[in-house]
Amino acid sequence: MMRRLAFVPFALLILGGCQSMPVATPTPIHGNVTDMPRFDAFIADRPTPDEFRATYPDVQLVLPGMAVTREYRNNHSRYFAQLDWQGRISNGNFM
């Protein structure tokens, strides 16, 4: 009987650890990109377009095939992304 009672807290501990943990949402960085090393590290992680928009909500993300004007911007407010075969951002340029 004592063995079964000792097993119950252990089983509850194991089952409690199987619950899904909340996924950390990225902290939005508002405004234009000013910290280029941080941005380059972010792109090196190969974010999805949705992750990019969540992290840099004020930067216009231009994906391949999108029609946009090509006016000159010198404030890093529009990023022309290149996607890999998984649809993740692998590289790009500010224009």
Side-chain angles (χ1 to χ4, degrees):
M1 179 75 170
M2 290 301 284
R3 280 187 174 167
R4 285 188 185 169
L5 290 177
F7 177 74
V8 170
F10 181 72
L12 291 175
L13 179 68
I14 297 291
L15 292 174
C18 293
Q19 295 177 354
S20 64
M21 298 296 291
V23 176
T25 57
T27 303
I29 302 169
H30 292 285
N32 302 331
V33 175
T34 56
D35 187 352
M36 288 306 294
R38 182 177 182 179
F39 182 81
D40 291 338
F42 174 72
I43 295 299
D45 286 340
R46 300 175 108 68
T48 64
D50 290 336
E51 291 169 341
F52 183 97
R53 290 182 189 104
T55 305
Y56 290 95
D58 299 332
V59 176
Q60 181 184 5
L61 177 63
V62 181
L63 298 174
M66 291 178 70
V68 294
T69 60
R70 304 265 308 202
E71 76 271 1
Y72 177 72
R73 293 186 187 185
N74 62 355
N75 60 2
H76 295 143
S77 63
R78 185 170 55 177
Y79 188 72
F80 287 78
Q82 296 173 0
L83 303 179
D84 64 7
W85 65 275
Q86 294 176 317
R88 294 181 165 274
I89 299 171
S90 60
N91 203 354
N93 296 309
F94 285 101
M95 290 189 215

